[in-house]
Amino acid sequence: MTKYNIVENIYNALGLKKRDINQIVNSTFDIIKERIVNKENVKISGFGTFEVKKRGQRIGRNPKTGEEKIIKPRYFVIFRPSKVFKEDINGK
């Protein structure tokens, strides 16, 4: 599903102007992205939580040459679906 599909589905359900829906969807994603960039977790009730985690520095290895290389610390995002969402997925 793309952002366009989200806008289309909302348009079909509510009949609002696509331009307005697009602004709302973009603003929502911008807010979520801004919080994540600021290393904040984002919890959406009934949907799930986007968590920001930090992976520490470690030594990696080039599989072809076997050469070791230091991999710098970095942040990454994981998504944990809510209990309700998990139940919906599993048909309970």
Side-chain angles (χ1 to χ4, degrees):
M1 176 174 267
T2 64
K3 191 167 28 173
Y4 174 81
N5 297 127
I6 293 170
V7 171
E8 282 293 315
N9 285 328
I10 294 171
Y11 172 76
N12 291 333
L14 302 178
L16 301 172
K17 293 180 184 177
K18 285 186 182 179
R19 179 181 41 202
D20 294 339
I21 297 168
N22 192 45
Q23 285 178 331
I24 292 168
V25 169
N26 284 331
S27 294
T28 302
F29 289 150
D30 287 343
I31 291 167
I32 292 169
K33 186 168 75 172
E34 179 184 325
R35 296 294 189 259
I36 291 172
V37 167
N38 290 326
K39 317 288 187 290
E40 297 176 40
N41 294 338
V42 177
K43 183 177 182 179
I44 303 171
S45 182
F47 184 69
T49 303
F50 295 94
E51 293 183 40
V52 181
K53 300 279 188 175
K54 184 175 183 179
R55 183 167 290 149
Q57 180 174 307
R58 62 190 196 280
I59 297 175
R61 190 165 299 166
N62 182 329
K64 280 189 174 180
T65 64
E67 178 186 353
E68 290 186 349
K69 183 178 179 182
I70 295 176
I71 301 172
K72 296 179 182 179
R74 62 188 176 125
Y75 290 93
F76 63 100
V77 178
I78 61 171
F79 175 74
R80 295 190 191 277
S82 72
K83 182 180 177 184
V84 172
F85 191 12
K86 285 181 189 178
E87 289 173 354
D88 289 343
I89 291 170
N90 293 310
K92 293 183 180 179

